[in-house]
Amino acid sequence: MKIIYTSILGCPQTIKDKLVVEKLNNANGFVDTLKTNLKQTKKLMFITNRWNSTTPKDQPRDEVFNDYHYTNQEYANAVRDCYALSEIKFDELIVVDCDYKGNFKEDLLSSDMVFVQGGHTPRGLKILKDLNLENYTNEYKGILLLTGTATKLTASKVLSTHHGNMQEYEIEEGLGLKDYSIRPYFSYSLKERFNKKFKVKIKLLKDFSQHTDVYAIGGESYMIDDNDSIKIYGKCW
């Protein structure tokens, strides 16, 4: 199994509450690298971040990520279509959410790529644990693509902030697949050094790094872990 971590790469964009189907961003050669690493494109598995097919209206505010406007199937279709436009055409799409009735282990092991959607960290972690994903990864031979906040979930320790509030956070037990953690969407500039919120974020990450090593990757960066080595493409701290 190869794990690819990205912040925004490989994900369809949402503009004015509409999913945009277009070619994938090839920043830092992401699409080219993915094509090189994909052995086949017969089956794509999509694992949602919100088990329900749509977001319930009574969903707690800190668990809503502006996703009322699409269903899990619609988002998964957009993922598949964006890859197709980038000349990565999957023959079959499996959507894993509340409507999924298949054999997860069998579908996982026969998938060429598994796309794990980012979003609410504790909820995403619960979904993967309930699916027992960590018990099957030793047998899986394809690509596990973790996007956005899902990049944090393979670690032994997961840093979870409450709706982006740097003052309210907790450290949860992750899947335990890796002995390091990822911080997606990270950026650094001279201007940000003097931003109070940014300083708090840095302190939080430094404190967390006492528990586990942290790779903070930029929006257009990605990492590949093939079990033997880690390759970083783009900015990383």
Side-chain angles (χ1 to χ4, degrees), residues 48 50 57 90 110 133 161 174 180 184 192 195 197 209 230 235:
T48 181
R50 64 163 181 207
K57 293 299 182 182
F90 291 95
S110 62
L133 176 72
T161 58
Y180 58 81
E192 286 174 313
N195 181 288
K197 186 175 180 180
S209 70
I230 296 174
K235 293 181 179 180

Side-chain angles (χ1 to χ4, degrees), residues 108-193:
L108 173 76
L109 298 183
S110 62
S111 294
D112 299 294
M113 189 170 87
V114 177
F115 181 107
V116 184
Q117 185 183 28
H120 188 259
T121 301
R123 189 173 63 211
L125 184 59
K126 182 180 186 305
I127 288 171
L128 297 186
K129 284 185 174 181
D130 287 348
L131 290 168
N132 294 312
L133 176 72
E134 68 274 20
N135 294 329
Y136 310 132
T137 52
N138 286 337
E139 299 177 60
Y140 181 54
K141 305 301 181 185
I143 288 178
L144 181 65
L145 178 65
L146 298 154
T147 63
T149 55
T151 57
K152 300 187 285 184
L153 306 183
T154 57
S156 297
K157 302 292 183 182
V158 176
L159 179 66
S160 176
T161 58
H162 298 276
H163 205 54
N165 186 341
M166 295 295 106
Q167 303 297 337
E168 298 178 30
Y169 67 92
E170 57 191 4
I171 296 175
E172 302 183 67
E173 294 296 323
L175 298 178
L177 300 178
K178 300 296 174 181
D179 58 359
Y180 58 81
S181 180
I182 307 294
R183 166 68 189 189
Y185 310 117
F186 190 83
S187 63
Y188 177 86
S189 68
L190 186 61
K191 181 180 179 181
E192 286 174 313
R193 286 181 59 185

